[in-house]
Amino acid sequence: QKHCPKPASTSASTFFFDYIFLFELARFSAFHWTVTANCCPQDQKMEEIQIESRPLLVEKDLQGLREAVLQLETKATMVLDDSESEPVFEIEVSEHDVETPYGRVHCTMRGVPKTDRPVILTLHDIGLNHKTCFDTLFSHEDMQEIMQHFAVCHVDAPGQQEGANTFSTGYEYPSMDQLSETLPSVLKHFGLKSVIGMAVGAGAYILAKFALDYPAMVEGVVLININPCAEGWMDWAAQKISGWTHAMPDMIISHLFGKEEIQQNHDLIGTYRHHILNDMNPFNLQLFVKSYNSRRDLEIERPVPGGTINARTIKCPSLLVVGDSSPAVDAVVECNTKLDPTKTTLLKMADCGGLPQVDQPGKLIEAFKYFIQGMGYMPSASMTRLVRSRTASGSSVTSFDGNRSRSHTNEGSRSRSHTNEGRARSHTADNQRGRSHTDTMDTSADQAVLKSTEVSC
């Protein structure tokens, strides 16, 4: 035992002691040696020495002993390997029903909030809840590094969580503005000072409204598929006509996914159609959809040098995300033209459908890590995917903001973004699968500071 290496754990020590005992038993107990001596008491001479050998264990017993020793050796090796590896990171999950001025909101907290940093707060789109919207993203292996530093609070819109009770017939569902007013109550319930928001579609609209009204509570926002504009008359008419000919699931599918994705990715569309039909409360879902379709313009004003000093805009760093085949491309590009260009990054994901967090979670997580680092958190986070992507494409990396490091990617035949400062808006080319193209009129340093960063990956 004194030559045995020090065990790494109690369980490893137990295995080693058992192993050594059986090993020694196998070595020295194959034969039993007995020595008898008859000594003469007068002259103290040894008259007779008889050595007798007799088997203590038969062959079948020895074979079983060898197998037992091998099993213990294997288990001891496994215990040592486990003790040398990193401990498994387990996340505490708790569910809460939070009372707000506009009804009860279901929240799921993953992890324990830290006092020195914000919590990541998520909001889902219509037809989804926090699980179907974000489980693929937050269960991805690359997200675990982020979740070791930040707790995550998933917020479900009223009546949209799994197993939700049906609202009464006369229930008045909160408007989009009122849903944004529920978030201060959520932060107060958990004792949170600020959040980093991540939201999709209808949730992105709610999060943006919250960031506009409560800038001190929001340190950064990731807005996926956001539409900052109210539904127009043409959209309203089209929605009414499609409502006569299509069921609610079809309307939601066309909202979440592009035409190309619906026609080609039958497995994905079938999965979400099944979820809408079987997991969502149809009456509650209809109320949420109606509330989203009745939204107002966000009334965001882009700051202009020499213009209004107190322009109404999102004051925190913002990352706008959209897939190149998403039906929300035009809306997201429009939103980009309304936000502060020095604090906004537009990420267009090539070969990506309507839900980037589901279609390409690894790439979105990498962009999210850069976004968090730009805010001063996770300085030593590991980066792999976008680094490899940029290396393979031979693209350049440029920073237009001293406080934030933004990356610009040009990938030849893939999606490219060019900014037209003269018109301050983007035009989408349908023959390029909805990718946004703008023409740069002036690339001088002075002009570069005035435009938002556009990234394609």
Side-chain angles (χ1 to χ4, degrees):
Q1 296 180 6
K2 66 181 180 179
H3 298 294
C4 178
K6 186 177 180 180
S9 63
T10 303
S11 57
S13 175
T14 302
F15 280 126
F16 267 109
F17 292 156
D18 291 343
Y19 166 73
I20 292 170
F21 171 75
L22 289 176
F23 182 76
E24 296 297 327
L25 183 62
R27 286 182 55 195
F28 298 109
S29 298
F31 292 94
H32 173 64
W33 298 85
T34 60
V35 179
T36 60
N38 295 324
C39 299
C40 178
Q42 287 82 8
D43 54 8
Q44 297 296 321
K45 293 182 178 179
M46 185 174 293
E47 296 179 349
E48 178 184 0
I49 297 179
Q50 180 181 357
I51 301 178
E52 176 187 5
S53 65
R54 177 169 54 87
L56 179 63
L57 299 175
V58 296
E59 182 62 27
K60 65 177 182 179
D61 294 331
L62 283 174
Q63 181 62 29
L65 184 59
R66 294 189 189 101
E67 293 177 356
V69 170
L70 289 175
Q71 291 178 2
L72 280 173
E73 185 178 17
T74 302
K75 291 181 179 179
T77 303
M78 293 174 61
V79 170
L80 283 178
D81 292 342
D82 292 341
S83 65
E84 293 173 357
S85 61
E86 294 183 1
V88 178
F89 179 66
E90 297 183 358
I91 300 175
E92 179 182 341
V93 180
S94 58
E95 298 189 17
H96 306 256
D97 288 323
V98 181
E99 294 291 343
T100 75
Y102 299 99
R104 187 174 297 175
V105 175
H106 184 266
C107 302
T108 303
M109 178 66 75
R110 302 182 65 181
V112 179
K114 298 176 174 59
T115 57
D116 61 340
R117 63 192 60 194
V119 163
I120 298 173
L121 183 141
T122 72
L123 292 162
H124 58 84
D125 202 353
I126 58 174
L128 307 174
N129 53 40
H130 84 269
K131 291 185 177 181
T132 54
C133 191
F134 292 108
D135 265 7
T136 301
L137 184 70
F138 283 90
S139 61
H140 195 278
E141 58 181 358
D142 292 348
M143 181 61 81
Q144 304 313 305
E145 182 179 12
I146 295 177
M147 297 186 68
Q148 292 182 30
H149 294 83
F150 297 91
V152 180
C153 180
H154 297 293
V155 179
D156 288 308
Q160 309 305 305
Q161 72 273 18
E162 286 187 352
N165 296 325
T166 304
F167 291 126
S168 59
T169 305
Y171 176 77
E172 183 177 352
Y173 201 85
S175 66
M176 289 289 106
D177 293 350
Q178 291 172 337
L179 288 174
S180 71
E181 291 292 336
T182 64
L183 297 182
S185 298
V186 172
L187 269 66
K188 182 178 179 181
H189 175 85
F190 292 105
L192 308 178
K193 296 180 180 179
S194 62
V195 298
I196 298 174
M198 175 182 288
V200 182
Y205 181 98
I206 297 170
L207 179 61
K209 184 69 166 60
F210 175 59
L212 287 170
D213 295 339
Y214 299 92
M217 294 184 178
V218 184
E219 294 193 23
V221 291
V222 179
L223 305 173
I224 305 172
N225 298 342
I226 184 173
N227 188 344
C229 304
E231 190 176 35
W233 285 104
M234 294 299 293
D235 295 328
W236 177 85
Q239 193 261 340
K240 287 295 183 183
I241 294 174
S242 63
W244 296 333
T245 57
H246 297 84
M248 177 68 70
D250 294 323
M251 296 172 60
I252 293 175
I253 289 296
S254 62
H255 165 79
L256 297 176
F257 305 99
K259 293 181 180 179
E260 181 179 338
E261 201 169 12
I262 294 174
Q263 294 172 357
Q264 296 182 0
N265 200 337
H266 299 292
D267 291 340
L268 179 66
I269 301 304
T271 298
Y272 277 87
R273 188 185 301 276
H274 180 272
H275 157 70
I276 295 169
L277 288 171
N278 297 276
D279 300 332
M280 300 296 295
N281 186 302
F283 182 76
N284 297 354
L285 175 58
Q286 187 177 16
L287 295 177
F288 186 30
V289 172
K290 182 180 179 180
S291 176
Y292 177 63
N293 289 337
S294 302
R295 66 189 180 277
R296 303 184 304 162
D297 284 340
L298 277 178
E299 299 177 351
I300 304 175
E301 182 181 358
R302 187 169 206 174
V304 178
T308 305
I309 298 177
N310 296 321
R312 179 175 170 80
T313 188
I314 296 178
K315 295 180 172 56
C316 63
S318 305
L319 175 63
L320 306 184
V321 182
V322 67
D324 63 353
S325 64
S326 169
V329 169
D330 291 343
V332 174
V333 172
E334 176 70 16
C335 184
N336 184 49
T337 66
K338 296 176 179 289
L339 297 179
D340 186 345
T342 65
K343 296 183 178 180
T344 305
T345 301
L346 172 59
L347 174 64
K348 300 174 186 176
M349 301 181 67
D351 304 320
C352 183
L355 297 179
Q357 77 279 12
V358 175
D359 196 358
Q360 297 190 18
K363 190 179 292 185
L364 179 58
I365 292 169
E366 193 82 352
F368 189 40
K369 285 183 180 179
Y370 280 114
F371 181 71
I372 292 175
Q373 281 189 329
M375 298 169 58
Y377 300 105
M378 296 180 60
S380 60
S382 60
M383 302 295 177
T384 55
R385 296 179 184 273
L386 292 185
V387 171
R388 288 199 299 267
S389 175
R390 282 196 295 271
T391 301
S393 64
S395 59
S396 61
V397 179
T398 309
S399 175
F400 287 146
D401 191 338
N403 296 326
R404 300 176 60 212
S405 177
R406 302 189 180 97
S407 53
H408 300 253
T409 307
N410 298 318
E411 302 192 37
S413 61
R414 298 178 66 187
S415 170
R416 293 187 293 270
S417 302
H418 311 273
T419 302
N420 183 333
E421 287 300 320
R423 290 175 291 180
R425 64 177 182 270
S426 299
H427 299 273
T428 303
D430 294 334
N431 60 348
Q432 292 294 328
R433 299 181 61 204
R435 295 184 177 92
S436 174
H437 298 260
T438 18
D439 297 325
T440 303
M441 296 182 64
D442 189 347
T443 58
S444 65
D446 293 337
Q447 293 293 329
V449 175
L450 301 179
K451 69 178 182 179
S452 60
T453 303
E454 297 187 20
V455 180
S456 298
C457 65

